[in-house]
């Protein structure tokens, strides 16, 4: 039977003598011979010579029967009857109950400090220690208990590794750990996850039982964008010297320096008048994968009256903004400066007398 099952005991009683019997009844010890509190009786009455009668107990719940092969719950029944000469005759028999051997095992796998079912967030190149809590969920001891981890590559057994648990008593739990595992390039959190599957196995009751569970890690999302703005042929951070009335083409190098894709990036330039949004202009960059860099240019911009180099600069500020997978935005700013190149010059007008 199984724990909690209900059992009905059957008693076949026979008058094997040559005189009738009266006051025949069965007394059952309830499987606890030292505890009369749970004894019960079943009345039969009278039995003629050679007569047999079968009677049953009430249904009895067996909450925790012993495991077959290890022990047996034995119920002893004693039948008695009275002959016509007032001699009491008795007999007894037993019935045994046990629960089948049921080996069972379970495993809970976690990564690092993450709780069960949580994804551990790491940085590229970080090491992870996996934890395996293995429990004997059956009713027989287990031996040769081991955990095999697929190393995150289910199709490649060459990087599988094994952690030995040993033996587990019924109900016993043991937690074992992997060595530190380097995860070279985990997916970015929100974009995917690196999944390791662990399988535990053990032997008991003539069978091998297994269970499996996975744990996942991902790279911490770290969005970032930069913009480098230059004027004309000037290098980054240098002033571009022009003549008054010259036009300038601005160059914007936009780079996705984070680990999340950026979509719809646009550069907005204040045209050198931060307090006047009416002359602002935009340049479309588009989508940027992590690590991608794109350079876009403005149309030629007329600088009517730039300051003289050495006395001041005409500053244009550009900002870039793009959209993250979460729907949020990210941006950066940079500027470029121009000034009027010094043009030394002199003139003289000479006249003689009244000429």
């Amino acid at each position: 039977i199984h724990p909690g099952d209900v059992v009905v005991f059957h008693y076949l009683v026979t008058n094997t003598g040559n005189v009738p019997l009266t006051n025949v009844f069965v007394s059952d010890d309830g499987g606890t011979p030292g505890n009369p509190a749970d004894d019960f009786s079943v009345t039969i009455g009278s039995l003629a010579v050679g007569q047999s009668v079968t009677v049953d107990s009430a249904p009895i719940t067996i909450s925790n029967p012993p495991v077959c092969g290890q022990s047996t719950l034995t119920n002893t029944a004693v039948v008695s009857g009275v002959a016509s000469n007032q001699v009491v005759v008795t007999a007894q028999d037993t019935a045994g109950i046990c629960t089948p051997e049921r080996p069972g095992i379970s495993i809970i796998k976690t990564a690092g400090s993450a709780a069960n079912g949580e994804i551990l967030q790491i940085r590229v190149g970080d090491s992870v220690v996996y934890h395996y809590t293995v429990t004997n969920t059956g009713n027989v001891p287990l031996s040769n208990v081991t955990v095999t981890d697929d190393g995150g590559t289910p199709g490649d057994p060459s990087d599988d590794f094994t952690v030995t648990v040993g033996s587990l008593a019924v109900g016993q739990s043991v937690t074992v750990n992997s060595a530190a595992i380097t995860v070279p390039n985990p997916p970015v959190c929100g974009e995917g996850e690196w999944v390791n599957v662990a399988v535990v196995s053990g032997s008991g009751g003539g069978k091998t039982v297994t269970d499996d569970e996975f744990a996942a890690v991902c790279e911490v999302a770290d969005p970032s964008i930069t913009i480098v703005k230059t004027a004309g042929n000037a290098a980054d951070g240098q002033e571009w010297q022009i003549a008054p009335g010259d036009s300038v083409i601005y160059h914007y190098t936009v780079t996705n320096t984070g680990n999340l894709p950026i979509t719809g990036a646009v550069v907005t330039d204040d045209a050198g008048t931060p307090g006047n949004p009416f002359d602002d202009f935009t340049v479309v960059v588009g989508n940027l994968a992590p690590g991608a860099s794109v350079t876009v240019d403005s149309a030629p911009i007329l600088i009517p009256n730039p300051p003289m180099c050495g006395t001041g600069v005409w500053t244009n500020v550009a900002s870039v903004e793009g959209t993250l997978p979460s729907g949020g935005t990210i941006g950066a700013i940079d500027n470029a400066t121009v000034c009027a190149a010094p043009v030394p010059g002199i003139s003289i007008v000479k006249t003689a007398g009244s000429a």
Side-chain angles (χ1 to χ4, degrees):
I1 65 170
H2 296 285
D5 279 355
V6 173
V7 176
V8 174
F9 292 101
H10 312 289
Y11 312 92
L12 173 60
V13 180
T14 303
N15 183 344
T16 58
N18 58 7
V19 293
L21 297 175
T22 59
N23 298 322
V24 180
F25 67 93
V26 175
S27 179
D28 194 300
D29 69 0
T32 57
N35 178 22
D38 61 355
D39 291 3
F40 59 90
S41 60
V42 181
T43 299
I44 296 175
S46 299
L47 284 176
V49 174
Q51 184 181 3
S52 292
V53 172
T54 298
V55 291
D56 301 327
S57 71
I60 298 172
T61 300
I62 309 298
S63 58
N64 191 27
V67 178
C68 300
Q70 299 180 20
S71 182
T72 302
L73 177 64
T74 301
N75 276 44
T76 300
V78 177
V79 64
S80 65
V82 180
S84 56
N85 58 0
Q86 301 304 305
V87 173
V88 176
V89 292
T90 63
Q92 70 178 43
D93 196 16
T94 61
I97 297 171
C98 62
T99 188
E101 291 184 323
R102 181 182 50 80
I105 198 168
S106 70
I107 184 171
I108 295 174
K109 178 180 180 181
T110 58
S113 58
N116 184 32
E118 290 183 347
I119 301 173
L120 179 67
Q121 298 188 7
I122 63 173
R123 302 281 181 182
V124 172
D126 280 356
S127 295
V128 178
V129 174
Y130 293 99
H131 313 290
Y132 314 91
T133 299
V134 180
T135 303
N136 182 345
T137 58
N139 60 9
V140 294
L142 296 176
S143 60
N144 300 319
V145 180
T146 58
V147 175
T148 300
D149 195 299
D150 70 0
T153 57
D156 177 16
S158 64
D159 62 355
D160 292 3
F161 58 90
T162 299
V163 182
T164 299
V165 178
S167 299
L168 288 176
V170 174
Q172 183 181 6
S173 290
V174 171
T175 298
V176 292
N177 303 318
S178 73
I181 309 296
T182 299
V183 182
N185 191 28
V188 178
C189 300
E191 300 291 303
E193 56 195 43
W194 177 275
V195 177
N196 276 43
V197 177
V199 178
V200 66
S201 65
S203 300
K207 298 179 180 179
T208 297
V209 287
T210 63
D211 189 30
D212 62 80
E213 194 181 38
F214 67 88
V217 300
C218 61
E219 182 189 355
V220 176
D222 187 18
S224 178
I225 194 171
T226 63
I227 181 172
V228 175
K229 177 180 179 181
T230 58
N233 293 329
D236 182 34
Q238 292 184 343
E239 300 170 353
W240 179 236
Q241 297 186 6
I242 62 173
D246 279 356
S247 294
V248 177
I249 294 176
Y250 292 101
H251 312 289
Y252 314 91
T253 299
V254 180
T255 304
N256 182 347
T257 53
N259 58 10
L260 291 175
I262 297 172
T263 58
V266 175
V267 173
T268 301
D269 195 301
D270 71 357
T273 57
N276 177 21
F278 295 106
D279 61 355
D280 292 1
F281 60 89
T282 59
V283 182
V284 174
V285 177
N287 300 334
L288 292 170
S293 188
V294 172
T295 298
V296 292
D297 301 328
S298 72
I301 307 298
L302 178 65
I303 310 296
N305 191 25
M308 184 68 65
C309 296
T311 65
V313 292
W314 177 273
T315 302
N316 275 43
V317 177
S319 62
V320 65
E321 185 173 88
T323 302
L324 298 171
S326 64
T329 59
I330 191 168
I333 62 172
D334 195 22
N335 62 50
T337 57
V338 299
C339 60
V343 182
I346 193 170
S347 68
I348 184 171
V349 176
K350 178 179 179 182
T351 61
S354 60

